Amino acid sequence: MTSSTGTTRRAMLRILAGAPCLPILQSTVLSLAGGMPAWAASPNKALKSVDFIGMAAPATAKDQALTTVGSKLVATYDDGAQQTFDLGHTPFFVTGDSVPDGKGGQVIAGGYLDINNQPIHDPSAPDKRQFFSDCPDGSSLLKVDGAKVPGVKGNPLFAVVQFEYTSRAYDGSDMYGKLPSPIAVLTLDQNPDTGELSLVQYHPVDTSGVNGLWITCGGSLSPWNTHLSSEEYEPDATKAKDDDEFKAFSANLFGDPAKANPYHYGHLPEVTVNTDGTGSIKKHYCLGRISHELVQVMPDQRTTLMGDDATNGGLFMFIADKPADLSSGRLYVAKVTQQDGVELDKGGRFDLDWVFLGEATSDEIMGLADSLTAADILDVAHEDPKDASFTKIRRSGKEEWVKVKPGMEKAAAFLETHRYAPLAGGTLAFTKMEGTTVNAKDKIGYSAMSYIYKSMSDGKNPIKVDQIKAGAVYAWPMEGGKTDTAGNAIPSDWVPVSLAAVPALVGRDLAEPDAVGNTADVDRIANPDNIKFSERWRTLFIGEDSGMHVNNFLWAYNVDTQKLSRILSCPAGAESTGLHAVDDLNGFSYVMSNFQHPGDWGKGLHDKVKAELEPLENAAYHDRFGGGVGYIHGIPKAG
């Protein structure tokens, strides 16, 4: 930074990154521009319900350039008394900051490591600095029984945080998908009296044993207390050897552009946190190789529903053989039947049946991934081969003709899932089905459909609804006693049977941009991505990844009152990520909230604000090379 104002702002952010995170016990207001927290402890009563009071969209340059929270929460206690709390956002760090490694040294938050756990340096930077991500994403906050970490004075808690990609090198060149995704375990010190959190240790997880990670997007906490990661946009194995992005990924990870195997990516990583604040990782190869955005495990600890962030994506379900063990099971894809003419302008309404794709163990499919190439499994043509043994499908919005080779059905089902599923009868017609979560009490799941267009509206696929570029959140009620399309029993009581958008959670496109530049109604959701449900508060939290809102927002939707409240605004150009609603950790509740790629200016969208906001975001977020990791505070004690 060149200005004294910028230096002060960055210094403040660094101070905050190392300071205790204010808890949800207090009523707290904290401004990233330098405000001081105000404490007001909640009364010692049992909390009955909460009501979020929304904030207006940011109107000043300062508020548009930074994470801002102007929302409130009204707590109702068991005796009928009410108390209002101001909400705020507290960062753990901005990526690129130096943070404690727990060994007396420092490590770069979000820093990239190669297969030998050595820093990957940016050759275009004058100081050849270590690459670090501007895109923190999925996170899980948890506790581990018996945990003991030096430096923790209160209760040890842990946050697993993954980093999706980095947008650009120092010289501005595109780096998307060219670096192996880092993932880290943060050790946090929870004050047992106030719930405050402070960062004690940052531990990069060694991913060398799983051949590194590929574009880790959303994440979720499993019922057995592990972090379930993701690898989206699986590399196309038919083209990987000639793909510049994949070759760069391989070169940065292995030092060899030809060494990485595309079939090692597009799976489900699982992180286990150890009692000393370190973590270990494994990959599950038997949940299908799709664009894994995020998975949600149901309360039976066996049934897993999966978002598929793709054009021509599907709704996939995995049913594990054993509870709390994703290493073997059965894979299904939904066959979708649209209800003719119903709510076409609201996202449509659909009935769901389930096609069985196969049963396998992770080790079995990993063995196939190690030994097979795409040419061993199937033939793919991009023009009509005039051969009846090929079947035409649509993949990523384009036509392909596919033929599975004899005896390769299982390999195709689990390693070429996007190509095999439509051959088996599944419907792959959704567009960017992203976050997935569950309301267990009502037995309803939710999926974020970030955009409703292209494969959902172009008439070239089995479903067709009106285009809504701003997207919607869909609900899918679940039942037991169902059979698959072959008439065989599905061994789960958590099988989705229909799909329809939640009326209050359908975005609204604008015919013309508003005065700020928004192309979707600023008082409705636009392009939902991260979604998480709080059973205690009966609230669905929704984070945006919008190319239609100047600022992306985090929303709270009460499923009983159907009230939608905007509770946080991200820096302009940033995406709301890392969402995790935690109902009770040692008596305190938390809402985790990150943001990625601040100042990712959209042409047209940010034209009216970029000139004024860019200097502010450069000053706050390492010249926009950094993203933020933190959480919302101000929510009263779990009670």
Side-chain angles (χ1 to χ4, degrees):
M1 276 94 26
T2 57
S3 71
S4 60
T5 301
T7 302
T8 301
R9 188 181 303 280
R10 177 169 289 184
M12 177 59 70
L13 284 163
R14 286 176 173 166
I15 291 168
L16 291 175
C21 293
L22 297 175
I24 47 189
L25 172 62
Q26 295 91 9
S27 171
T28 307
V29 183
L30 179 62
S31 166
L32 290 180
M36 294 299 291
W39 293 41
S42 60
N44 187 23
K45 301 177 182 180
L47 189 60
K48 181 179 179 181
S49 64
V50 299
D51 178 30
F52 288 93
I53 308 301
M55 57 182 278
T60 68
K62 183 188 73 172
D63 288 345
Q64 290 173 329
L66 301 173
T67 297
T68 57
V69 180
S71 52
K72 300 177 184 291
L73 182 149
V74 178
T76 300
Y77 297 94
D78 55 356
D79 64 355
Q82 291 187 330
Q83 187 173 5
T84 299
F85 296 84
D86 295 309
L87 303 181
H89 182 266
T90 301
F92 291 111
F93 52 76
V94 173
T95 56
D97 286 349
S98 293
V99 292
D101 64 2
K103 304 173 185 177
Q106 299 282 308
V107 64
I108 298 297
Y112 283 91
L113 304 173
D114 65 17
I115 198 68
N116 298 310
N117 290 303
Q118 296 302 305
I120 302 174
H121 296 283
D122 182 350
S124 73
D127 58 355
K128 304 297 188 289
R129 70 185 185 188
Q130 183 182 6
F131 273 115
F132 56 89
S133 175
D134 62 336
C135 293
D137 208 305
S139 66
S140 294
L141 183 66
L142 55 94
K143 65 178 179 179
V144 176
D145 291 341
K148 187 174 182 180
V149 181
V152 174
K153 299 177 182 179
N155 300 320
L157 296 181
F158 305 98
V160 183
V161 181
Q162 58 198 43
F163 303 88
E164 186 177 6
Y165 60 91
T166 197
S167 298
R168 66 196 194 283
Y170 182 86
D171 64 3
S173 57
D174 178 34
M175 290 302 298
Y176 180 84
K178 296 177 180 179
L179 292 164
S181 295
I183 192 164
V185 177
L186 315 184
T187 297
L188 305 172
D189 189 351
Q190 182 193 45
N191 185 307
D193 297 321
T194 67
E196 295 177 20
L197 301 176
S198 56
L199 179 64
V200 171
Q201 174 179 295
Y202 178 106
H203 170 75
V205 176
D206 180 2
T207 64
S208 61
V210 295
N211 298 295
L213 299 177
W214 169 269
I215 309 181
T216 53
C217 196
S220 63
L221 183 67
S222 74
W224 51 94
N225 209 40
T226 60
H227 174 78
L228 300 178
S229 181
S230 58
E231 291 183 310
E232 71 173 359
Y233 306 133
E234 78 283 10
D236 186 349
T238 69
K239 300 177 179 179
K241 68 178 182 178
D242 298 316
D243 182 77
D244 289 341
E245 179 183 286
F246 190 70
K247 288 192 295 183
F249 168 85
S250 181
N252 283 311
L253 176 59
F254 294 107
D256 180 349
K259 186 167 184 179
N261 176 353
Y263 283 141
H264 286 159
Y265 310 100
H267 302 289
L268 181 73
E270 181 176 13
V271 175
T272 299
V273 177
N274 303 317
T275 56
D276 62 354
T278 62
S280 60
I281 191 168
K282 56 187 172 183
K283 274 188 193 179
H284 297 292
Y285 281 70
C286 52
L287 282 83
R289 186 168 167 271
I290 60 174
S291 187
H292 284 288
E293 165 76 20
L294 183 149
V295 305
Q296 177 66 54
V297 180
M298 298 300 142
D300 66 355
Q301 301 196 23
R302 295 178 60 232
T303 307
T304 302
L305 272 294
M306 297 177 272
D308 185 19
D309 185 4
T311 300
N312 292 108
L315 179 59
F316 291 87
M317 176 173 65
F318 177 78
I319 302 175
D321 292 333
K322 300 176 183 178
D325 182 357
L326 300 178
S327 65
S328 66
R330 303 165 65 87
L331 180 64
Y332 298 83
V333 64
K335 180 180 180 180
V336 180
T337 302
Q338 184 170 352
Q339 296 181 13
D340 290 342
V342 177
E343 299 178 352
L344 298 182
D345 61 341
K346 300 176 183 177
R349 187 174 290 272
F350 311 92
D351 297 319
L352 302 177
D353 295 294
W354 291 91
V355 178
F356 174 65
L357 296 179
E359 184 172 10
T361 68
S362 181
D363 287 346
E364 179 184 8
I365 303 305
M366 184 169 63
L368 296 178
D370 290 342
S371 60
L372 298 176
T373 67
D376 297 323
I377 299 173
L378 42 63
D379 292 319
V380 178
H382 299 281
E383 295 182 357
D384 189 348
K386 309 299 182 183
D387 182 340
S389 64
F390 283 77
T391 300
K392 184 174 77 170
I393 67 168
R394 293 191 69 83
R395 179 182 177 276
S396 298
K398 298 179 180 179
E399 292 180 339
E400 289 186 351
W401 286 260
V402 177
K403 178 173 68 174
V404 177
K405 294 189 173 180
M408 288 292 168
E409 289 79 10
K410 179 172 283 191
F414 289 91
L415 294 177
E416 289 287 349
T417 311
H418 275 141
R419 291 185 168 110
Y420 182 78
L423 303 183
T427 304
L428 270 67
F430 295 118
T431 304
K432 294 187 70 62
M433 180 181 278
E434 306 221 33
T436 302
T437 192
V438 64
N439 167 357
K441 179 181 178 181
D442 296 334
K443 218 167 183 179
I444 295 174
Y446 301 94
S447 289
M449 205 76 69
S450 190
Y451 290 80
I452 300 175
Y453 70 165
K454 294 183 178 178
S455 59
M456 294 184 70
S457 63
D458 61 13
K460 300 176 181 178
N461 297 280
I463 65 176
K464 186 179 188 301
V465 298
D466 294 348
Q467 176 176 278
I468 307 173
K469 287 185 178 181
V473 174
Y474 283 75
W476 23 274
M478 294 173 282
E479 299 177 1
K482 309 305 292 184
T483 58
D484 64 25
T485 54
N488 298 311
I490 299 176
S492 173
D493 290 328
W494 298 85
V495 179
V497 296
S498 63
L499 183 75
V502 179
L505 302 180
V506 178
R508 181 181 295 144
D509 301 350
L510 299 179
E512 298 291 339
D514 66 14
V516 180
N518 296 293
T519 58
D521 188 337
V522 75
D523 291 322
R524 298 180 70 91
I525 66 165
N527 312 113
D529 188 318
N530 278 214
I531 55 173
K532 291 291 171 65
F533 188 75
S534 167
E535 294 285 345
R536 181 183 293 270
W537 310 135
R538 301 285 293 162
T539 296
L540 180 64
F541 294 95
I542 306 156
E544 295 181 338
D545 177 11
S546 181
M548 303 181 75
H549 279 169
V550 170
N551 289 86
N552 278 206
F553 305 123
L554 175 60
W555 302 84
Y557 174 71
N558 186 294
V559 298
D560 296 323
T561 65
Q562 301 179 20
K563 179 182 178 182
L564 179 66
S565 306
R566 176 174 28 236
I567 61 173
L568 177 147
S569 175
C570 295
E575 171 187 347
S576 175
T577 64
L579 181 59
H580 182 204
V582 185
D583 282 344
D584 190 347
L585 279 177
N586 301 320
F588 297 92
S589 301
Y590 300 88
V591 177
M592 311 304 291
S593 178
N594 304 336
F595 66 85
Q596 63 176 228
H597 56 69
D600 184 10
W601 309 117
K603 186 177 181 181
L605 179 65
H606 295 107
D607 288 355
K608 297 178 181 179
V609 300
K610 178 182 176 181
E612 188 173 10
L613 301 190
E614 188 166 44
L616 298 176
E617 296 200 10
N618 283 341
Y621 306 120
H622 300 310
D623 296 318
R624 294 180 297 110
F625 285 101
V629 175
Y631 76 101
I632 294 175
H633 61 252
I635 303 172
K637 192 171 182 179

